[in-house]
Amino acid sequence: MAMAALRREGRRFAPLISPRPITAFRSSPLAPTREAEGPIGVRYISTQVVRNRMKSVKNIQKITKAMKMVAASKLRAIQTKAENSRGLWQPFTALLGDTPSVDVKKNVIVTVSSDKGLCGGINSTSVKISKALHKLNSGPENETKYVILGEKAKAQLVRDSKKDIELIITELQKNPLSYTQVSVLADDILKNVEFDALRIVFNKFHSVVSFLPTVSTVLSPEIVEREAEAGGKLGDLDSYEIEGGETKGEILQNLTEFQFSCVMFNSVLENACSEQGARMSAMDSSSRNAGDMLDRLTLTYNRTRQASITTELIEIISGASALEG
Amino acid sequence: MASNAAVPFWRAAGMTYITYSNICANLVRNCLKEPYKTEALAREKVHFSISKWTDGKPEKPNDV
């Protein structure tokens, strides 16, 4: 009893008097403690705090693991769609070519991004490329406007390019992606925006770990005419026969509209694949980090626990030897 | 190069080729037999929220 009282008193004078670690009165070694002071300068973090931290880190690890599984299953579903959609625009590129270096007056940059976060850096890279394109294409007589798909790009572009934004489209993935959805979207863009060239910026899905930002260019029919006269791939258009009593200008208009719709479809699907893949790898590295953190916390916890048990033993033994001698 | 032939009826009515092909696709979908018909029609629902910006100010978004 006296020892306990002395011990409690001793704690208040601990920094001045005793070099030995003095802890508060406890009933068992594992009861919650506040911060303890060891030999002057050494502080042990209390076990309760460490245990709470370990519990929360473990929960986070479980959540990120689950998110990774969900992203993996969504990726599988959408990957087949994306690969099938590649066949839609390849004939267009074979016919009309993809000319990112075309110089036109009215550029419109369509930035495709995701609505949800936690998907790594893909949205930032898309926005970076869009801004670079904007800078590249702004000259004295050129103007460049943005059409934004997805919340993440909207948040980033609204900050500094407010006056260049034409349209913002969100909540695209509420229903599973289909051609009808994207074509209605493409139709809205065509109706609301005047353009000479449309540049679509998206992340192309090469594999689960590699998504490269790409730009697809779709030209308006007048520009196609202009480029056709300049020769090159588009100049070969005249060698095609046109059936059905329509003129070349008529066909070109239909073709460019359909080309835009197909290219948009493919780019939205590929971006969705890249989003799921990026989310998978982000959640995977986050679970791994959580595991590492958990290991380190476990070591700290065990060290603290063993130190407190040792000090208990020392006190008991020194008390016992003081009684004898 | 202005087109000399008459424009097709749908373009004269203000539709783009995309709208025209979507309407045709819907017609084909309606020709399916049950149960494929309900599956196909359920698959093709459209939803997004579009908002037009002028001079750095957003206008009220409309849902489609």
Side-chain angles (χ1 to χ4, degrees):
Chain A
M1 276 282 93
M3 296 274 15
L6 253 180
R7 230 185 298 157
R8 250 178 282 144
E9 289 265 312
R11 184 166 177 254
R12 254 178 272 137
F13 301 118
L16 307 172
I17 303 177
S18 148
R20 222 186 271 156
I22 296 198
T23 55
F25 180 70
R26 281 177 283 130
S27 53
S28 86
L30 289 182
T33 64
R34 288 291 99 205
E35 244 186 48
E37 289 210 358
I40 297 186
V42 174
R43 284 181 157 219
Y44 296 122
I45 210 167
S46 82
T47 55
Q48 181 66 357
V49 168
V50 178
R51 245 187 319 167
N52 284 339
R53 198 107 199 249
M54 277 169 65
K55 207 164 34 150
S56 67
V57 170
K58 208 184 280 186
N59 284 338
I60 288 183
Q61 190 182 30
K62 283 194 198 145
I63 291 175
T64 51
K65 256 200 199 138
M67 284 186 74
K68 176 183 165 197
M69 300 284 134
V70 166
S73 68
K74 283 193 182 165
L75 177 67
R76 247 176 291 140
I78 214 170
Q79 195 174 345
T80 39
K81 271 196 201 170
E83 282 174 7
N84 291 339
S85 81
R86 282 187 190 155
L88 268 180
W89 57 263
Q90 275 158 357
F92 277 111
T93 318
L95 175 68
L96 295 172
D98 191 356
T99 46
S101 57
V102 71
D103 188 23
V104 288
K105 290 219 178 49
K106 292 216 189 96
N107 287 297
V108 173
I109 300 180
V110 182
T111 315
V112 186
S113 71
S114 60
D115 277 342
K116 306 208 177 118
L118 290 181
C119 48
I122 55 170
N123 292 321
S124 319
T125 45
S126 289
V127 169
K128 216 170 28 165
I129 301 262
S130 311
K131 288 193 186 161
L133 269 184
H134 180 97
K135 245 207 205 151
L136 206 64
N137 281 317
S138 323
E141 12 163 280
N142 300 348
E143 56 162 287
T144 323
K145 294 257 169 202
Y146 287 109
V147 169
I148 303 178
L149 268 77
E151 290 278 350
K152 295 287 148 190
K154 166 182 163 190
Q156 293 190 29
L157 282 173
V158 153
R159 256 189 286 143
D160 48 3
S161 311
K162 257 179 140 175
K163 49 186 179 45
D164 285 328
I165 301 180
E166 276 280 347
L167 284 176
I168 294 191
I169 298 154
T170 51
E171 292 176 33
L172 197 54
Q173 293 213 31
K174 196 155 165 207
N175 303 329
L177 287 174
S178 69
Y179 180 74
T180 320
Q181 163 118 2
V182 179
S183 64
V184 174
L185 187 67
D187 193 33
D188 267 352
I189 296 180
L190 280 175
K191 284 206 181 113
N192 282 321
V193 175
E194 291 181 13
F195 65 95
D196 284 337
L198 282 159
R199 297 169 199 277
I200 307 177
V201 179
F202 62 101
N203 292 85
K204 198 173 167 84
F205 181 79
H206 288 280
S207 80
V208 179
V209 295
S210 117
F211 345 97
L212 300 174
T214 9
V215 181
S216 297
T217 317
V218 174
L219 306 171
S220 76
E222 297 88 19
I223 302 294
V224 174
E225 298 278 0
R226 195 188 78 185
E227 295 289 322
E229 276 146 39
K233 203 151 191 199
L234 292 170
D236 290 336
L237 275 178
D238 277 332
S239 58
Y240 287 94
E241 265 188 37
I242 304 181
E243 313 179 358
E246 293 179 332
T247 62
K248 181 172 165 208
E250 184 52 48
I251 295 247
L252 268 182
Q253 200 169 11
N254 293 346
L255 271 182
T256 42
E257 287 173 5
F258 192 45
Q259 180 190 18
F260 178 49
S261 169
C262 293
V263 173
M264 273 296 289
F265 182 51
N266 182 64
S267 57
V268 168
L269 277 180
E270 301 255 356
N271 202 59
C273 277
S274 313
E275 173 199 341
Q276 301 296 344
R279 188 166 293 138
M280 249 178 77
S281 57
M283 292 294 109
D284 182 43
S285 61
S286 150
S287 323
R288 209 172 307 131
N289 288 342
D292 288 343
M293 210 184 238
L294 207 54
D295 286 341
R296 265 181 291 137
L297 282 173
T298 312
L299 284 176
T300 317
Y301 177 70
N302 283 335
R303 237 196 343 247
T304 317
R305 192 177 49 89
Q306 287 162 357
S308 62
I309 291 178
T310 311
T311 58
E312 277 267 333
L313 280 174
I314 290 176
E315 285 170 8
I316 293 174
I317 292 176
S318 53
S321 67
L323 279 176
E324 284 171 19
Chain B
M1 225 199 278
S3 80
N4 297 322
V7 287
F9 61 93
W10 43 271
R11 204 171 275 284
M15 282 202 267
T16 57
Y17 179 73
I18 302 176
T19 332
Y20 174 56
S21 76
N22 273 340
I23 294 179
C24 295
N26 227 3
L27 287 175
V28 174
R29 265 178 230 123
N30 276 319
C31 298
L32 292 171
K33 283 202 261 194
E34 297 290 342
Y36 304 108
K37 181 171 174 178
T38 34
E39 282 176 26
L41 286 177
R43 246 198 328 244
E44 305 293 333
K45 283 215 175 68
V46 170
H47 174 90
F48 55 88
S49 150
I50 189 168
S51 123
K52 197 162 155 58
W53 277 50
T54 44
D55 294 329
K57 287 218 191 80
E59 302 179 3
K60 204 144 186 279
N62 348 316
D63 283 335
V64 168

